[in-house]
Amino acid sequence: MTAPPDDRTFRREMATAYRSGWHFIDLLTALPRRGDSLMVTLFGEPIVVVLEEDEDVRAYRCLRRPRGAPQPVRCAVRYGMIFVNLDQRDHELVASEPHSATPRSA
């Protein structure tokens, strides 16, 4: 895969991806068939990237707890490259309320 150096759309999307916490995992060709998976470690966290039966690429954070189910991680494919975003704020379903910062000794 090659991208022309003057492709503004490509450069803009790559700048947005790196600035927003998205991280490059591998090329889409690393998952040639449905059901194939790829295990990577990103910032010390094991991540499994899977090409599902419906040909969607999905990523999961592997929990180290004994009975923890894999957590879905935001995953995107752009220009034949797989990106994931590990930012926990992007995975919250509802906005959490701020916690008070009153020290216990007060």
Side-chain angles (χ1 to χ4, degrees):
M1 182 199 86
T2 60
D6 61 343
D7 185 359
R8 286 183 178 170
T9 305
F10 177 76
R11 289 189 310 220
R12 185 174 54 244
E13 283 200 18
M14 291 300 104
T16 301
Y18 289 118
R19 193 172 47 245
S20 65
W22 288 91
H23 302 284
F24 171 72
I25 297 298
D26 206 337
L27 296 176
L28 188 57
T29 56
L31 302 171
R33 294 178 304 276
R34 294 180 196 166
D36 284 352
S37 63
L38 176 68
M39 179 84 147
V40 296
T41 301
L42 187 63
F43 299 114
E45 294 189 42
I47 306 292
V48 176
V49 181
V50 180
L51 181 61
E52 299 282 347
E53 292 298 325
D54 57 1
E55 295 196 9
D56 280 345
V57 176
R58 293 192 178 94
Y60 301 94
R61 176 182 283 124
C62 298
L63 301 178
R64 296 177 191 257
R65 292 179 281 187
R67 295 186 185 183
Q71 287 181 332
V73 175
R74 287 184 63 195
C75 182
V77 177
R78 296 285 184 263
Y79 297 100
M81 296 181 284
I82 303 169
F83 291 90
V84 297
N85 190 332
L86 297 181
D87 191 357
Q88 288 291 338
R89 294 172 296 185
D90 287 342
H91 304 288
E92 291 180 2
L93 297 177
V94 292
S96 60
E97 299 199 15
H99 300 285
S100 79
T102 306
R104 292 179 184 238
S105 61

